[in-house]
Amino acid sequence: MSAVVETKTKAAWSRAEFEEQLRAKGAGYHIHHPFNRRMNSGQLEPEQIRGWVANRFYYQLRIPQKDAAILANCPDREMRRKWVLRILDHDGFGDGEGGIEAWARLGTAVGIEREQLWSLRSVVPGVRFAVDAYVNFARTAPWQEAVCSSLTEMFAPKIHQDRLANWPHHYPWIDQEGLQYFRSRIALAERDVEHGLQVTLDHFTSRAQQERALDILQFKLDILWAMLDAVDKAFP
């Protein structure tokens, strides 16, 4: 029996079982990448920290474009009313500077000149390719699949908490005011996960769809892992 036929004959997981399968993907989150483990344990040199911050900035810049692509593909008004908050979170709105500016302040805190950071001259090809692939996926995939890809946020609060707990001790040369991005993202990630998870659990209801959702989430995990692979190679 082919894998496709076999999948069609399998019973769908219950909502709780499906969520458990999605959360189990956290074993492949980039919190476990060797570069991140070294960063979290204080083993990186300043130039390596700066290399990571500069390259991750490209991801931060492209996230609102990814979210705008989801909105462009989504005919559901109520969904759009909730999802648009993600763009405002990153780009800023009113008196709120937003996540991109908060990350730029992190760049300043680790010693990157603002012009250098915004020029993107430090972005290595592997990071650019991975991030662009993610944005292209959001533009071309059904909006529900693009929403599903965002569920790596389920695993993000722990990585932010680790940085807040460990960076002041391991990297005292970094101005702690520059860590505001990590502080702000803990609550925002939890809010975003609740919405994204609801959409995913509601839409992917057959076993074939559920396994497709797991593949999509793995794709996003691979994007984040590949970014750190590229940074690790560029800043050994």
Side-chain angles (χ1 to χ4, degrees), residues 151-192:
L151 288 181
T152 50
E153 292 169 329
M154 292 188 294
F155 321 121
K158 178 64 166 62
I159 207 168
H160 298 321
Q161 290 164 354
D162 285 349
R163 290 165 186 160
L164 289 170
N166 297 322
W167 279 34
H169 172 68
H170 294 310
Y171 308 111
W173 53 273
I174 299 176
D175 184 349
Q176 291 193 38
E177 288 300 313
L179 306 184
Q180 178 57 32
Y181 176 86
F182 305 135
R183 298 186 189 99
S184 67
R185 283 307 305 172
I186 293 173
L188 292 175
E190 292 172 349
R191 179 206 69 191
D192 291 345

Side-chain angles (χ1 to χ4, degrees), residues 110-132:
V110 302
I112 306 173
E113 294 291 335
R114 188 175 179 89
E115 186 276 333
Q116 173 70 20
L117 183 72
W118 282 88
S119 74
L120 305 179
R121 289 192 297 268
S122 298
V123 179
V124 299
V127 168
R128 192 182 297 271
F129 184 86
V131 174
D132 290 353

Side-chain angles (χ1 to χ4, degrees), residues 22-41:
L22 291 166
R23 291 189 181 277
K25 285 289 186 179
Y29 190 51
H30 65 160
I31 196 172
H32 304 296
H33 192 284
F35 186 90
N36 187 74
R37 291 203 304 267
R38 294 198 305 276
M39 180 164 58
N40 196 45
S41 59

